Amino acid sequence: MNGADTSWIIVATALVLFMTLPGLALFYGGLVRARNVLSVFMHCYAIACLMSILWLAFGYSIAFGDGNAYWGGLGKAFLNGVTADSLSGTIPEVLFFAFQMTFAIITPALIVGAYVERVGFGFILLFSGLWMLLCYAPVVHWIWGGGMLSDGGIFGEVGVKDFAGGIVVHETAGIAALLIAFFLGPRKNQNTPPHNPGFVMIGAAMLWVGWFGFNGGSQLAADGGAAMALTVTHISAATASLSWALWERIKFGKSSLVGIVTGTIAGLASITPASGFVGPIEALIIGAVAGVLCQEAVLVIRNRLKIDDTLDVFAVHGVGGIFGTIMIAAFGAGSWAAQLGGLAIVGVYTIVVTVVLIYVVKAITPLRVDTETETNGLDLAVHGERAYDMSS
């Protein structure tokens, strides 16, 4: 065990949990109507709790167990055989478990942005739990757990390169979000502005800070690689923020606060897979392109495809993660066959699993709330609370 590595991953674990609670909750919560903000907080919080238990029970074993090329098996279910003295590389295995648990939390939580303001709470919990175990955890095994897409797998000696989750986190969550939004159908009222842009900015800032643990921690060591990953993450985020704001100004005449912080998230998602393989100049390029590319993707999905992915999960996270994964090959740090093949295999698998789960889960619990509940807001109708009581 290395004390420095262990200390850094403890900090990184806290930072990644901070991304979901409270970062993502505030970022998403500020973007919805005031009558739905508590429901968004509830979705993020409940998912964080449920994924923690499921990751302990089965998720970690499926992802990192000693199974075969396709899944890790259940040999490490409930951390069977893992003690305080067990090591994963130079850090305690139980710490590696906890670090990866925070990724298993934020990935289904990212999907929340696609279905806010109209989804059934029971559907969220059942779908998210099954999706994490049947979609996310196997993909983790394929790429990070020594499975079929890693080095020595189906793509030969050099497998898929995904440093911190462009495919594992952002592609899977983005595709699942787009599919749920398609099956849900649009909101009854799509024209209401974000009720609290201040929340959005605060949440985005928390995500930016937390992303240092997300990408820097993925080095699993306190060394120069972690420092470089952290640095390029920041550069890409800063550049994408400005390129989004500039493109917004060119197209619409004004640069908005919600726009610039959405650009931040686009830059962070895009650098995530590449953060262990590129330097500052490449990060500048990735960030500059991401701010424009993801903004255009938002417009295509909203205006051409007519899909109400409410908070643009696929356009920002899905497109950003896919773009960053491709840029690894473009900058010569990975094989074109492995990068594109990995994206295709995981994309098809995610589509199949997500569609099947949507049909299965909605047969058990309603996918969408009724019209009256949607009109009055989920906060009071589903959770019995109001975010703002103006009379008190």
Side-chain angles (χ1 to χ4, degrees):
M1 188 184 78
N2 181 285
D5 295 347
T6 300
S7 298
W8 164 231
I9 303 306
I10 289 173
V11 172
T13 300
L15 285 171
V16 182
L17 180 60
F18 184 70
M19 291 173 69
T20 305
L21 305 173
L24 189 69
L26 283 167
F27 181 74
Y28 281 169
L31 288 166
V32 299
R33 294 186 297 167
R35 65 192 67 183
N36 290 313
V37 60
L38 294 185
S39 71
V40 175
F41 291 172
M42 184 71 167
H43 297 166
C44 291
Y45 210 95
I47 285 173
C49 297
L50 181 61
M51 294 314 112
S52 301
I53 303 303
L54 293 177
W55 187 249
L56 169 68
F58 307 114
Y60 178 71
S61 187
I62 293 170
F64 294 103
D66 302 320
N68 52 42
Y70 306 104
W71 82 311
L74 298 177
K76 292 187 175 182
F78 292 96
L79 287 183
N80 179 49
V82 178
T83 69
D85 297 322
S86 304
L87 292 181
S88 176
T90 61
I91 65 174
E93 186 175 3
V94 69
L95 175 57
F96 180 71
F97 158 84
F99 180 66
Q100 290 295 334
M101 178 179 65
T102 60
F103 281 66
I105 288 170
I106 197 169
T107 306
L110 289 173
I111 304 172
V112 167
Y115 52 59
V116 292
E117 302 196 304
R118 63 200 188 279
V119 75
F121 185 57
F123 177 88
I124 293 169
L125 294 181
L126 186 54
F127 173 85
S128 297
L130 292 172
W131 186 88
M132 191 277 283
L133 293 175
L134 299 177
C135 184
Y136 174 78
V139 171
V140 172
H141 182 71
W142 297 350
I143 296 178
W144 291 341
M148 65 176 185
L149 300 182
S150 59
D151 294 349
I154 62 175
F155 293 112
E157 186 177 342
V158 179
V160 175
K161 301 299 180 188
D162 184 4
F163 188 71
I167 296 177
V168 174
V169 175
H170 295 290
E171 184 192 17
T172 59
I175 290 173
L178 193 66
L179 289 168
I180 292 178
F182 173 78
F183 279 94
L184 262 177
R187 290 163 291 164
K188 301 299 181 186
N189 187 346
Q190 300 181 50
N191 299 317
T192 53
H195 93 280
N196 194 329
F199 275 8
V200 182
M201 178 268 165
I202 293 169
M206 290 175 172
L207 284 165
W208 191 340
V209 173
W211 229 290
F212 291 159
F214 197 88
N215 290 356
S218 292
Q219 179 72 4
L220 297 174
D223 60 12
M228 181 59 78
L230 186 151
T231 300
V232 298
T233 296
H234 186 79
I235 296 300
S236 178
T239 310
S241 302
L242 295 177
S243 68
W244 184 296
L246 177 61
W247 193 242
E248 198 175 40
R249 175 65 183 268
I250 291 170
K251 295 196 71 173
F252 306 112
K254 293 180 180 179
S255 300
S256 67
L257 174 65
V258 169
I260 195 171
V261 302
T262 305
T264 305
I265 307 306
L268 291 165
S270 297
I271 195 64
T272 289
S275 56
F277 309 112
V278 302
I281 302 303
E282 292 89 347
L284 277 169
I285 296 169
I286 289 173
V289 174
V292 177
L293 176 66
C294 293
Q295 186 174 160
E296 287 301 307
V298 169
L299 301 176
V300 168
I301 291 165
R302 286 182 185 175
N303 302 331
R304 295 189 185 179
L305 300 182
K306 304 295 185 182
I307 297 176
D308 187 17
D309 179 355
T310 314
L311 308 182
D312 308 311
V313 181
F314 180 76
V316 175
H317 293 278
V319 171
I322 291 167
F323 167 63
T325 301
I326 293 171
M327 293 305 288
I328 294 172
F331 289 129
S335 123
W336 280 103
Q339 297 307 104
L340 296 177
L343 284 167
I345 290 170
V346 171
V348 171
Y349 179 74
T350 302
I351 290 170
V352 171
V353 173
T354 302
V355 170
V356 170
L357 286 178
I358 289 172
Y359 277 109
V360 169
V361 176
K362 77 174 185 176
I364 299 170
T365 183
L367 170 60
R368 185 165 180 157
V369 298
D370 59 59
T371 301
E372 183 180 358
T373 297
E374 183 177 346
T375 301
N376 294 334
L378 303 185
D379 289 1
L380 194 58
V382 177
H383 304 295
E385 299 171 295
R386 283 192 179 93
Y388 309 103
D389 186 353
M390 298 306 180
S391 62
S392 63

